[in-house]
Amino acid sequence: TLFYSRKIGLQRGTVLPIIGGGRVTGKVGAFDVGFLNIHTDGQPATGTQMTNFTVARVKRDILRRSSLGALFTNRSVSLVGDGASQAYGVDATFSFFENVGLVAYLAKTDTPDHEDKNTSYQGRFDYGGDRYGFQAEHLVIEDNFVPEVGFLRRDNFRRTYTTTRFSPRPQSLDRIQQFFFEGSFDYIEAADTGAVETRQSQLGFSAEFDNSDRIGINVADNYEFLAQPFTSGPGVTFPVGGYRFRDMEATYAAGAQHRLTGTLTIRVGGYFNGTIHSVGFSRGRFTLTNQFSLEPSVSLNWITTPLGSFRTDLAVARVSYSFTPRMFFSGLIQYNSASNTVSNNLRLRWEYAPGSELFVVYTEDRETDPLMPNRYTELRNRGFVVKVNRLFRF
């Protein structure tokens, strides 16, 4: 992602004061345009400097449902060297008929001491018919591609991904709405050396009932190469090397007609050179009232390896409450047993005028006592932010 707004005012976990800035969006003829400029203060104690952020975006709709666009970002103080850093990108989206799509982009970054291997590009084709589906994608992010006003989940890789689907609607089974037979192949290699890092083949079957509930089973063959030792649990470190393992998942997804919706997953199989048994509940939503909802997720994992056994738990709860159509509160609370931390993010948003907003955000991260997990201990970090923006129409 070339632009990620949360990178402004936050640096390596430290909240930085925003001195000021502005944002302009609108149309100029046939073009949609946007421009943002924000200046943040520095903190000598943490070694951060005053920094200016600039983002410019232009897009034009073409044909019936297609578009072409370009994006530019600038950060006046680079985090990887002396000087400023920029990112440039162009993108295209084409939609044909009702279910055929093409997406592509080409981007480049210009950061100090990263003059070559600084390109990223992607091409993706989608066909999403009711009975058949197909997707093919190729994505490249080179080693020195550094979008400093955006973010990367992973760098220095080349990914090729395909998936196919056959989903007939049986006429002879009254309670079955549709069957889904799916297969996919994911291949990731290092962009600079071509060494295989990840390879995964999957086969899946699922059935959707007439009440929109869905059950399924999925089998995967995995290969992962560890370029450096990986510590996954207490006293368990997998050495450098390639690992091949298989696993199987069974899922049940509750339909939208239930008061509690979400997906229950049971997984068994290999985990590097060991085994894993896990139970998870994801994308959950429990509607208490028309204004108040709770979105729980939990993952429990039991892992056994030749080096030892351990268990990891992750629990997340998201709470949303709407005071009015223009004012709502949301809260995210997360517990991670692997790091013995409890964190939360609380946010109040008020649209006090059309397009103008007030945000009040509080974040906190605490370690927990592994022997007494219900007790809070050391405070790791805390932040309180108030943000106001005003939309001027002219």
Side-chain angles (χ1 to χ4, degrees):
T1 301
L2 286 184
F3 172 56
Y4 186 54
S5 62
R6 295 187 181 182
K7 292 294 288 288
I8 301 176
L10 187 66
Q11 182 171 319
R12 296 191 178 99
T14 301
V15 177
L16 302 177
I18 294 178
I19 298 175
R23 180 182 63 185
V24 177
T25 60
K27 292 185 71 71
V28 178
F31 294 89
D32 295 306
V33 297
F35 181 80
L36 178 147
N37 187 272
I38 293 179
H39 205 79
T40 61
D41 201 359
Q43 290 187 346
T46 58
T48 57
Q49 304 179 47
M50 296 178 63
T51 306
N52 179 266
F53 297 85
T54 301
V55 182
R57 167 69 169 167
V58 60
K59 187 184 77 167
R60 176 169 182 172
D61 294 332
I62 60 173
L63 304 177
R64 293 181 58 188
R65 295 182 297 138
S66 304
S67 65
L68 299 173
L71 180 72
F72 167 77
T73 70
N74 180 79
R75 181 187 176 112
S76 64
V77 179
S78 172
L79 296 176
V80 299
D82 295 331
S85 65
Q86 295 84 32
Y88 318 82
V90 292
D91 59 273
T93 301
F94 296 96
S95 296
F96 304 105
F97 307 104
E98 294 184 358
N99 42 35
V100 177
L102 290 169
V103 176
Y105 81 81
L106 173 64
K108 182 177 180 180
T109 60
D110 185 7
T111 53
D113 303 324
H114 292 71
E115 288 78 16
D116 56 354
K117 298 182 180 178
N118 54 355
T119 303
S120 175
Y121 56 88
Q122 178 193 38
R124 188 179 74 224
F125 171 82
D126 289 284
Y127 173 73
D130 180 73
R131 188 174 179 86
Y132 300 98
F134 175 76
Q135 181 185 108
E137 176 186 5
H138 188 66
L139 170 65
V140 175
I141 297 180
E142 295 183 333
D143 193 23
N144 289 332
F145 181 75
V146 186
E148 294 201 74
V149 193
F151 80 97
L152 295 177
R153 296 179 183 271
R154 185 172 182 170
D155 63 357
N156 188 31
F157 73 93
R158 185 187 308 273
R159 183 193 187 204
T160 301
Y161 175 78
T162 61
T163 179
T164 59
R165 170 178 54 83
F166 173 56
S167 47
R169 295 182 180 270
Q171 302 297 320
S172 58
L173 300 175
D174 294 336
R175 297 195 59 187
I176 303 295
Q177 184 78 15
Q178 195 169 17
F179 288 121
F180 298 86
F181 301 89
E182 299 175 90
S184 66
F185 179 70
D186 199 359
Y187 185 86
I188 300 175
E189 61 183 11
D192 54 353
T193 65
V196 179
E197 296 183 343
T198 298
R199 183 177 62 242
Q200 184 183 66
S201 303
Q202 294 191 82
L203 290 174
F205 166 78
S206 61
E208 182 177 340
F209 297 92
D210 56 2
N211 65 352
S212 73
D213 288 1
R214 186 166 173 170
I215 60 172
I217 189 168
N218 184 81
V219 178
D221 181 81
N222 308 277
Y223 172 82
E224 293 286 345
F225 178 79
L226 298 180
Q228 56 187 8
F230 168 54
T231 301
S232 60
V236 177
T237 299
F238 298 111
V240 172
Y243 297 83
R244 184 174 180 179
F245 51 94
R246 297 180 176 88
D247 59 60
M248 180 177 65
E249 283 187 351
T251 61
Y252 165 73
Q257 79 280 3
H258 297 289
R259 195 169 185 181
L260 174 63
T261 61
T263 301
L264 176 66
T265 303
I266 299 175
R267 175 186 174 192
V268 296
Y271 180 77
F272 293 93
N273 61 358
T275 60
I276 185 172
H277 297 76
S278 66
V279 177
F281 182 75
S282 60
R283 295 187 292 275
R285 182 177 179 85
F286 182 59
T287 303
L288 300 171
T289 68
N290 292 333
Q291 296 173 287
F292 187 34
S293 65
L294 174 66
E295 300 178 21
S297 298
V298 63
S299 177
L300 310 177
N301 303 275
W302 294 267
I303 298 172
T304 301
T305 75
L307 302 176
S309 302
F310 62 96
R311 171 181 165 179
T312 63
D313 303 328
L314 177 66
V316 180
R318 188 186 300 273
V319 180
S320 300
Y321 184 82
S322 298
F323 298 95
T324 69
R326 291 187 174 185
M327 178 185 290
F328 75 87
F329 167 83
S330 64
L332 177 67
I333 303 173
Q334 176 176 291
Y335 168 70
N336 188 342
S337 69
S339 57
N340 295 314
T341 59
V342 175
S343 58
N344 62 71
N345 182 288
L346 310 177
R347 185 178 71 154
L348 176 70
R349 175 185 177 271
W350 175 36
E351 188 177 5
Y352 60 90
S356 301
E357 301 163 309
L358 166 69
F359 293 92
V360 181
V361 182
Y362 175 79
T363 60
E364 184 178 282
D365 188 11
R366 288 182 177 269
E367 291 183 351
T368 62
D369 186 341
L371 299 180
M372 302 291 288
N374 294 323
R375 296 184 182 178
Y376 294 96
T377 54
E378 182 180 355
L379 177 68
R380 289 162 46 118
N381 59 70
R382 174 185 290 158
F384 181 77
V385 178
V386 177
K387 175 184 175 182
V388 181
N389 62 57
R390 176 67 181 177
L391 175 65
F392 296 95
R393 298 182 183 274
F394 52 88

Short mmCIF file of all heavy atoms in Angstrom, two decimals, residues 252-310:
data_model
loop_
_atom_site.label_atom_id
_atom_site.label_comp_id
_atom_site.label_asym_id
_atom_site.label_seq_id
_atom_site.Cartn_x
_atom_site.Cartn_y
_atom_site.Cartn_z
N TYR A 252 -17.74 -24.37 9.94
CA TYR A 252 -19.19 -24.14 9.94
C TYR A 252 -19.40 -22.65 10.06
O TYR A 252 -18.90 -22.01 11.00
CB TYR A 252 -19.87 -24.87 11.11
CG TYR A 252 -21.28 -24.36 11.36
CD1 TYR A 252 -22.31 -24.69 10.48
CD2 TYR A 252 -21.56 -23.54 12.44
CE1 TYR A 252 -23.60 -24.22 10.69
CE2 TYR A 252 -22.85 -23.05 12.65
CZ TYR A 252 -23.86 -23.40 11.78
OH TYR A 252 -25.12 -22.91 11.98
N ALA A 253 -20.14 -22.07 9.12
CA ALA A 253 -20.42 -20.64 9.12
C ALA A 253 -21.92 -20.44 9.30
O ALA A 253 -22.72 -20.94 8.51
CB ALA A 253 -19.95 -19.99 7.83
N ALA A 254 -22.29 -19.71 10.35
CA ALA A 254 -23.70 -19.44 10.61
C ALA A 254 -24.21 -18.34 9.69
O ALA A 254 -23.53 -17.34 9.45
CB ALA A 254 -23.89 -19.03 12.07
N GLY A 255 -25.39 -18.53 9.16
CA GLY A 255 -25.97 -17.56 8.25
C GLY A 255 -26.43 -16.29 8.93
O GLY A 255 -26.52 -16.20 10.16
N ALA A 256 -26.76 -15.30 8.10
CA ALA A 256 -27.10 -13.99 8.62
C ALA A 256 -28.40 -13.96 9.40
O ALA A 256 -28.67 -13.00 10.12
CB ALA A 256 -27.18 -12.99 7.45
N GLN A 257 -29.22 -15.02 9.29
CA GLN A 257 -30.49 -15.01 10.01
C GLN A 257 -30.31 -15.28 11.50
O GLN A 257 -31.22 -15.04 12.30
CB GLN A 257 -31.45 -16.05 9.42
CG GLN A 257 -31.20 -17.49 9.86
CD GLN A 257 -30.05 -18.14 9.09
OE1 GLN A 257 -29.41 -17.51 8.28
NE2 GLN A 257 -29.82 -19.41 9.36
N HIS A 258 -29.14 -15.78 11.90
CA HIS A 258 -28.88 -16.06 13.32
C HIS A 258 -28.51 -14.77 14.04
O HIS A 258 -27.92 -13.86 13.47
CB HIS A 258 -27.75 -17.07 13.47
CG HIS A 258 -28.07 -18.41 12.88
ND1 HIS A 258 -28.98 -19.28 13.42
CD2 HIS A 258 -27.57 -19.02 11.77
CE1 HIS A 258 -29.04 -20.39 12.69
NE2 HIS A 258 -28.19 -20.24 11.67
N ARG A 259 -28.85 -14.72 15.32
CA ARG A 259 -28.46 -13.56 16.12
C ARG A 259 -26.95 -13.50 16.30
O ARG A 259 -26.35 -12.42 16.32
CB ARG A 259 -29.17 -13.61 17.47
CG ARG A 259 -29.11 -12.28 18.22
CD ARG A 259 -30.04 -12.29 19.40
NE ARG A 259 -30.07 -10.98 20.04
CZ ARG A 259 -30.79 -10.70 21.11
NH1 ARG A 259 -31.54 -11.65 21.67
NH2 ARG A 259 -30.77 -9.50 21.63
N LEU A 260 -26.31 -14.67 16.44
CA LEU A 260 -24.86 -14.77 16.50
C LEU A 260 -24.38 -15.38 15.20
O LEU A 260 -24.72 -16.52 14.88
CB LEU A 260 -24.41 -15.62 17.69
CG LEU A 260 -22.90 -15.92 17.76
CD1 LEU A 260 -22.10 -14.63 17.94
CD2 LEU A 260 -22.59 -16.90 18.90
N THR A 261 -23.58 -14.64 14.44
CA THR A 261 -23.01 -15.14 13.21
C THR A 261 -21.49 -15.25 13.36
O THR A 261 -20.90 -14.64 14.24
CB THR A 261 -23.35 -14.23 12.02
OG1 THR A 261 -22.79 -12.92 12.27
CG2 THR A 261 -24.85 -14.11 11.85
N GLY A 262 -20.89 -16.02 12.48
CA GLY A 262 -19.44 -16.20 12.54
C GLY A 262 -19.06 -17.55 11.98
O GLY A 262 -19.92 -18.35 11.55
N THR A 263 -17.76 -17.84 11.95
CA THR A 263 -17.24 -19.09 11.39
C THR A 263 -16.46 -19.86 12.45
O THR A 263 -15.51 -19.34 13.03
CB THR A 263 -16.32 -18.80 10.19
OG1 THR A 263 -17.06 -18.08 9.19
CG2 THR A 263 -15.80 -20.09 9.59
N LEU A 264 -16.89 -21.09 12.69
CA LEU A 264 -16.20 -22.00 13.62
C LEU A 264 -15.27 -22.89 12.81
O LEU A 264 -15.70 -23.51 11.82
CB LEU A 264 -17.21 -22.84 14.38
CG LEU A 264 -16.64 -23.91 15.32
CD1 LEU A 264 -15.89 -23.26 16.48
CD2 LEU A 264 -17.75 -24.82 15.85
N THR A 265 -13.99 -22.97 13.20
CA THR A 265 -12.99 -23.72 12.46
C THR A 265 -12.27 -24.70 13.38
O THR A 265 -11.86 -24.33 14.49
CB THR A 265 -11.96 -22.78 11.82
OG1 THR A 265 -12.62 -21.84 10.97
CG2 THR A 265 -10.94 -23.55 11.00
N ILE A 266 -12.11 -25.93 12.91
CA ILE A 266 -11.31 -26.95 13.61
C ILE A 266 -10.20 -27.39 12.66
O ILE A 266 -10.47 -27.78 11.52
CB ILE A 266 -12.17 -28.15 14.03
CG1 ILE A 266 -13.27 -27.71 14.99
CG2 ILE A 266 -11.31 -29.22 14.69
CD1 ILE A 266 -14.24 -28.81 15.36
N ARG A 267 -8.97 -27.32 13.12
CA ARG A 267 -7.83 -27.64 12.27
C ARG A 267 -6.96 -28.70 12.93
O ARG A 267 -6.66 -28.63 14.13
CB ARG A 267 -6.99 -26.39 12.02
CG ARG A 267 -5.70 -26.62 11.23
CD ARG A 267 -4.88 -25.35 11.17
NE ARG A 267 -3.59 -25.55 10.56
CZ ARG A 267 -2.60 -24.67 10.59
NH1 ARG A 267 -2.77 -23.50 11.20
NH2 ARG A 267 -1.44 -24.93 10.00
N VAL A 268 -6.54 -29.69 12.16
CA VAL A 268 -5.61 -30.72 12.62
C VAL A 268 -4.60 -30.98 11.52
O VAL A 268 -4.89 -30.81 10.33
CB VAL A 268 -6.33 -32.04 12.99
CG1 VAL A 268 -7.28 -31.83 14.17
CG2 VAL A 268 -7.11 -32.58 11.79
N GLY A 269 -3.39 -31.39 11.90
CA GLY A 269 -2.39 -31.72 10.90
C GLY A 269 -0.99 -31.35 11.33
O GLY A 269 -0.69 -31.24 12.52
N GLY A 270 -0.13 -31.12 10.34
CA GLY A 270 1.25 -30.82 10.62
C GLY A 270 1.49 -29.35 10.85
O GLY A 270 0.71 -28.49 10.43
N TYR A 271 2.60 -29.07 11.54
CA TYR A 271 3.03 -27.70 11.80
C TYR A 271 4.55 -27.71 11.81
O TYR A 271 5.16 -28.13 12.79
CB TYR A 271 2.47 -27.20 13.12
CG TYR A 271 2.86 -25.77 13.47
CD1 TYR A 271 2.23 -24.70 12.84
CD2 TYR A 271 3.86 -25.50 14.40
CE1 TYR A 271 2.59 -23.39 13.16
CE2 TYR A 271 4.22 -24.20 14.72
CZ TYR A 271 3.58 -23.16 14.10
OH TYR A 271 3.94 -21.87 14.42
N PHE A 272 5.17 -27.32 10.68
CA PHE A 272 6.61 -27.45 10.48
C PHE A 272 7.01 -28.90 10.76
O PHE A 272 6.51 -29.79 10.09
CB PHE A 272 7.35 -26.43 11.33
CG PHE A 272 7.10 -25.01 10.86
CD1 PHE A 272 6.07 -24.24 11.40
CD2 PHE A 272 7.86 -24.45 9.85
CE1 PHE A 272 5.81 -22.96 10.95
CE2 PHE A 272 7.62 -23.16 9.39
CZ PHE A 272 6.59 -22.42 9.93
N ASN A 273 7.84 -29.20 11.75
CA ASN A 273 8.17 -30.60 12.01
C ASN A 273 7.40 -31.16 13.19
O ASN A 273 7.80 -32.15 13.80
CB ASN A 273 9.68 -30.78 12.22
CG ASN A 273 10.18 -29.98 13.43
OD1 ASN A 273 9.42 -29.27 14.08
ND2 ASN A 273 11.48 -30.11 13.71
N GLY A 274 6.25 -30.56 13.52
CA GLY A 274 5.41 -31.03 14.60
C GLY A 274 3.97 -31.16 14.14
O GLY A 274 3.68 -31.31 12.96
N THR A 275 3.05 -31.11 15.10
CA THR A 275 1.62 -31.22 14.80
C THR A 275 0.87 -30.07 15.48
O THR A 275 1.35 -29.47 16.45
CB THR A 275 1.05 -32.55 15.31
OG1 THR A 275 1.23 -32.65 16.73
CG2 THR A 275 1.74 -33.73 14.63
N ILE A 276 -0.32 -29.80 14.97
CA ILE A 276 -1.15 -28.74 15.52
C ILE A 276 -2.59 -29.20 15.59
O ILE A 276 -3.08 -29.91 14.71
CB ILE A 276 -1.03 -27.45 14.67
CG1 ILE A 276 -1.82 -26.30 15.33
CG2 ILE A 276 -1.51 -27.69 13.26
CD1 ILE A 276 -1.59 -24.97 14.66
N HIS A 277 -3.26 -28.82 16.68
CA HIS A 277 -4.69 -28.98 16.84
C HIS A 277 -5.22 -27.62 17.29
O HIS A 277 -4.72 -27.06 18.28
CB HIS A 277 -5.04 -30.04 17.89
CG HIS A 277 -4.58 -31.42 17.54
ND1 HIS A 277 -3.26 -31.83 17.64
CD2 HIS A 277 -5.27 -32.49 17.06
CE1 HIS A 277 -3.15 -33.09 17.26
NE2 HIS A 277 -4.37 -33.52 16.89
N SER A 278 -6.19 -27.09 16.57
CA SER A 278 -6.67 -25.76 16.90
C SER A 278 -8.17 -25.65 16.71
O SER A 278 -8.77 -26.37 15.90
CB SER A 278 -5.97 -24.68 16.06
OG SER A 278 -6.30 -24.82 14.70
N VAL A 279 -8.75 -24.75 17.50
CA VAL A 279 -10.17 -24.42 17.41
C VAL A 279 -10.27 -22.91 17.35
O VAL A 279 -9.62 -22.21 18.14
CB VAL A 279 -10.96 -24.96 18.61
CG1 VAL A 279 -12.43 -24.54 18.53
CG2 VAL A 279 -10.85 -26.47 18.70
N GLY A 280 -11.05 -22.40 16.42
CA GLY A 280 -11.16 -20.96 16.29
C GLY A 280 -12.56 -20.52 15.94
O GLY A 280 -13.35 -21.28 15.35
N PHE A 281 -12.88 -19.29 16.31
CA PHE A 281 -14.14 -18.66 15.94
C PHE A 281 -13.81 -17.27 15.42
O PHE A 281 -13.22 -16.46 16.15
CB PHE A 281 -15.09 -18.58 17.13
CG PHE A 281 -16.43 -17.98 16.80
CD1 PHE A 281 -17.38 -18.71 16.11
CD2 PHE A 281 -16.75 -16.68 17.18
CE1 PHE A 281 -18.61 -18.17 15.79
CE2 PHE A 281 -17.97 -16.13 16.87
CZ PHE A 281 -18.91 -16.87 16.18
N SER A 282 -14.15 -16.99 14.16
CA SER A 282 -13.75 -15.73 13.54
C SER A 282 -14.94 -15.07 12.87
O SER A 282 -15.98 -15.70 12.63
CB SER A 282 -12.63 -15.98 12.52
OG SER A 282 -13.08 -16.86 11.50
N ARG A 283 -14.75 -13.77 12.58
CA ARG A 283 -15.79 -12.96 11.93
C ARG A 283 -17.11 -13.05 12.66
O ARG A 283 -18.19 -13.05 12.07
CB ARG A 283 -15.95 -13.35 10.45
CG ARG A 283 -14.71 -13.05 9.61
CD ARG A 283 -14.98 -13.30 8.14
NE ARG A 283 -15.19 -14.70 7.86
CZ ARG A 283 -14.21 -15.57 7.63
NH1 ARG A 283 -12.97 -15.16 7.65
NH2 ARG A 283 -14.48 -16.82 7.38
N GLY A 284 -17.03 -13.14 13.97
CA GLY A 284 -18.25 -13.25 14.77
C GLY A 284 -18.95 -11.91 14.90
O GLY A 284 -18.32 -10.85 14.92
N ARG A 285 -20.27 -11.96 15.03
CA ARG A 285 -21.06 -10.75 15.27
C ARG A 285 -22.31 -11.13 16.05
O ARG A 285 -23.08 -12.01 15.63
CB ARG A 285 -21.43 -10.05 13.97
CG ARG A 285 -22.21 -8.75 14.19
CD ARG A 285 -22.52 -8.05 12.88
NE ARG A 285 -23.29 -6.83 13.07
CZ ARG A 285 -22.77 -5.65 13.36
NH1 ARG A 285 -21.45 -5.54 13.50
NH2 ARG A 285 -23.53 -4.59 13.53
N PHE A 286 -22.50 -10.47 17.18
CA PHE A 286 -23.67 -10.69 18.03
C PHE A 286 -24.38 -9.35 18.19
O PHE A 286 -23.83 -8.41 18.77
CB PHE A 286 -23.23 -11.24 19.39
CG PHE A 286 -24.38 -11.54 20.31
CD1 PHE A 286 -25.36 -12.44 19.94
CD2 PHE A 286 -24.49 -10.91 21.54
CE1 PHE A 286 -26.42 -12.72 20.78
CE2 PHE A 286 -25.54 -11.18 22.39
CZ PHE A 286 -26.51 -12.09 22.01
N THR A 287 -25.58 -9.26 17.65
CA THR A 287 -26.35 -8.02 17.69
C THR A 287 -27.22 -8.01 18.93
O THR A 287 -28.18 -8.78 19.03
CB THR A 287 -27.20 -7.86 16.42
OG1 THR A 287 -26.34 -7.91 15.27
CG2 THR A 287 -27.95 -6.55 16.44
N LEU A 288 -26.87 -7.13 19.87
CA LEU A 288 -27.66 -7.02 21.10
C LEU A 288 -28.89 -6.16 20.88
O LEU A 288 -29.99 -6.51 21.30
CB LEU A 288 -26.79 -6.45 22.22
CG LEU A 288 -25.55 -7.29 22.57
CD1 LEU A 288 -24.64 -6.54 23.52
CD2 LEU A 288 -25.96 -8.62 23.17
N THR A 289 -28.70 -5.00 20.25
CA THR A 289 -29.80 -4.12 19.88
C THR A 289 -29.49 -3.56 18.50
O THR A 289 -28.44 -3.85 17.91
CB THR A 289 -29.97 -2.96 20.89
OG1 THR A 289 -28.83 -2.08 20.79
CG2 THR A 289 -30.08 -3.48 22.32
N ASN A 290 -30.37 -2.73 17.97
CA ASN A 290 -30.11 -2.09 16.68
C ASN A 290 -28.91 -1.16 16.73
O ASN A 290 -28.32 -0.83 15.72
CB ASN A 290 -31.35 -1.33 16.22
CG ASN A 290 -32.49 -2.25 15.86
OD1 ASN A 290 -32.27 -3.40 15.49
ND2 ASN A 290 -33.72 -1.76 15.98
N GLN A 291 -28.55 -0.71 17.94
CA GLN A 291 -27.44 0.23 18.11
C GLN A 291 -26.18 -0.42 18.64
O GLN A 291 -25.09 0.10 18.44
CB GLN A 291 -27.85 1.36 19.07
CG GLN A 291 -28.99 2.23 18.57
CD GLN A 291 -29.43 3.20 19.63
OE1 GLN A 291 -30.08 2.84 20.62
NE2 GLN A 291 -29.07 4.47 19.46
N PHE A 292 -26.30 -1.56 19.32
CA PHE A 292 -25.19 -2.15 20.07
C PHE A 292 -24.87 -3.52 19.52
O PHE A 292 -25.76 -4.39 19.41
CB PHE A 292 -25.57 -2.23 21.54
CG PHE A 292 -24.45 -2.67 22.44
CD1 PHE A 292 -23.14 -2.32 22.18
CD2 PHE A 292 -24.71 -3.44 23.57
CE1 PHE A 292 -22.11 -2.71 23.00
CE2 PHE A 292 -23.70 -3.84 24.41
CZ PHE A 292 -22.39 -3.48 24.13
N SER A 293 -23.60 -3.76 19.15
CA SER A 293 -23.18 -5.05 18.63
C SER A 293 -21.82 -5.42 19.19
O SER A 293 -21.01 -4.56 19.54
CB SER A 293 -23.14 -5.05 17.10
OG SER A 293 -22.14 -4.16 16.64
N LEU A 294 -21.56 -6.73 19.26
CA LEU A 294 -20.31 -7.28 19.75
C LEU A 294 -19.76 -8.23 18.70
O LEU A 294 -20.49 -9.07 18.17
CB LEU A 294 -20.53 -8.01 21.07
CG LEU A 294 -19.35 -8.78 21.67
CD1 LEU A 294 -18.25 -7.81 22.09
CD2 LEU A 294 -19.80 -9.62 22.85
N GLU A 295 -18.45 -8.10 18.39
CA GLU A 295 -17.81 -8.95 17.39
C GLU A 295 -16.66 -9.72 18.04
O GLU A 295 -15.56 -9.19 18.17
CB GLU A 295 -17.30 -8.10 16.22
CG GLU A 295 -18.38 -7.32 15.50
CD GLU A 295 -17.85 -6.44 14.39
OE1 GLU A 295 -16.73 -6.73 13.92
OE2 GLU A 295 -18.53 -5.48 14.02
N PRO A 296 -16.92 -10.96 18.48
CA PRO A 296 -15.87 -11.73 19.14
C PRO A 296 -15.10 -12.63 18.18
O PRO A 296 -15.63 -13.09 17.17
CB PRO A 296 -16.67 -12.58 20.14
CG PRO A 296 -17.98 -12.82 19.43
CD PRO A 296 -18.23 -11.60 18.57
N SER A 297 -13.82 -12.84 18.49
CA SER A 297 -12.99 -13.81 17.78
C SER A 297 -12.07 -14.47 18.80
O SER A 297 -11.58 -13.81 19.71
CB SER A 297 -12.15 -13.14 16.68
OG SER A 297 -12.97 -12.55 15.69
N VAL A 298 -11.83 -15.76 18.62
CA VAL A 298 -10.94 -16.47 19.54
C VAL A 298 -10.23 -17.58 18.77
O VAL A 298 -10.77 -18.15 17.83
CB VAL A 298 -11.74 -17.07 20.73
CG1 VAL A 298 -12.75 -18.10 20.26
CG2 VAL A 298 -10.81 -17.65 21.78
N SER A 299 -8.97 -17.82 19.13
CA SER A 299 -8.18 -18.88 18.51
C SER A 299 -7.41 -19.60 19.60
O SER A 299 -6.64 -18.97 20.34
CB SER A 299 -7.22 -18.29 17.47
OG SER A 299 -6.39 -19.29 16.92
N LEU A 300 -7.61 -20.93 19.72
CA LEU A 300 -6.91 -21.77 20.68
C LEU A 300 -6.08 -22.79 19.91
O LEU A 300 -6.62 -23.52 19.08
CB LEU A 300 -7.89 -22.49 21.60
CG LEU A 300 -8.97 -21.62 22.28
CD1 LEU A 300 -9.92 -22.48 23.10
CD2 LEU A 300 -8.32 -20.56 23.16
N ASN A 301 -4.77 -22.85 20.18
CA ASN A 301 -3.87 -23.70 19.40
C ASN A 301 -3.01 -24.55 20.33
O ASN A 301 -2.36 -24.01 21.24
CB ASN A 301 -2.96 -22.84 18.52
CG ASN A 301 -3.74 -21.94 17.59
OD1 ASN A 301 -4.15 -22.33 16.52
ND2 ASN A 301 -3.96 -20.70 18.02
N TRP A 302 -3.02 -25.88 20.10
CA TRP A 302 -2.17 -26.80 20.83
C TRP A 302 -1.13 -27.35 19.85
O TRP A 302 -1.48 -28.00 18.86
CB TRP A 302 -2.99 -27.95 21.40
CG TRP A 302 -3.96 -27.52 22.46
CD1 TRP A 302 -3.77 -27.51 23.81
CD2 TRP A 302 -5.31 -27.06 22.25
NE1 TRP A 302 -4.90 -27.06 24.46
CE2 TRP A 302 -5.85 -26.78 23.53
CE3 TRP A 302 -6.10 -26.84 21.12
CZ2 TRP A 302 -7.16 -26.30 23.69
CZ3 TRP A 302 -7.38 -26.37 21.28
CH2 TRP A 302 -7.90 -26.10 22.54
N ILE A 303 0.15 -27.09 20.11
CA ILE A 303 1.21 -27.44 19.18
C ILE A 303 2.20 -28.37 19.88
O ILE A 303 2.64 -28.11 21.00
CB ILE A 303 1.93 -26.17 18.68
CG1 ILE A 303 0.93 -25.29 17.91
CG2 ILE A 303 3.13 -26.52 17.80
CD1 ILE A 303 1.47 -23.94 17.55
N THR A 304 2.54 -29.47 19.18
CA THR A 304 3.49 -30.45 19.70
C THR A 304 4.64 -30.59 18.70
O THR A 304 4.42 -30.80 17.51
CB THR A 304 2.81 -31.82 19.90
OG1 THR A 304 1.71 -31.67 20.80
CG2 THR A 304 3.80 -32.82 20.47
N THR A 305 5.87 -30.47 19.19
CA THR A 305 7.06 -30.59 18.35
C THR A 305 8.08 -31.46 19.06
O THR A 305 7.98 -31.71 20.27
CB THR A 305 7.69 -29.21 18.06
OG1 THR A 305 8.37 -28.76 19.24
CG2 THR A 305 6.63 -28.19 17.66
N PRO A 306 9.12 -31.94 18.34
CA PRO A 306 10.18 -32.69 19.01
C PRO A 306 10.90 -31.89 20.09
O PRO A 306 11.54 -32.48 20.97
CB PRO A 306 11.13 -33.05 17.86
CG PRO A 306 10.27 -33.04 16.64
CD PRO A 306 9.28 -31.94 16.88
N LEU A 307 10.82 -30.56 20.03
CA LEU A 307 11.49 -29.72 21.01
C LEU A 307 10.62 -29.40 22.22
O LEU A 307 11.10 -28.82 23.20
CB LEU A 307 11.95 -28.41 20.35
CG LEU A 307 12.91 -28.56 19.16
CD1 LEU A 307 13.19 -27.21 18.54
CD2 LEU A 307 14.20 -29.22 19.61
N GLY A 308 9.34 -29.74 22.15
CA GLY A 308 8.45 -29.45 23.26
C GLY A 308 7.05 -29.12 22.77
O GLY A 308 6.81 -28.97 21.57
N SER A 309 6.13 -28.99 23.72
CA SER A 309 4.74 -28.68 23.42
C SER A 309 4.35 -27.37 24.08
O SER A 309 4.87 -27.01 25.14
CB SER A 309 3.82 -29.81 23.89
OG SER A 309 4.18 -31.04 23.30
N PHE A 310 3.42 -26.65 23.46
CA PHE A 310 2.96 -25.40 24.04
C PHE A 310 1.57 -25.09 23.49
O PHE A 310 1.08 -25.72 22.54
CB PHE A 310 3.93 -24.26 23.74
CG PHE A 310 4.09 -23.96 22.27
CD1 PHE A 310 3.35 -22.96 21.66
CD2 PHE A 310 5.00 -24.68 21.50
CE1 PHE A 310 3.50 -22.68 20.33
CE2 PHE A 310 5.15 -24.40 20.15
CZ PHE A 310 4.40 -23.40 19.56
#
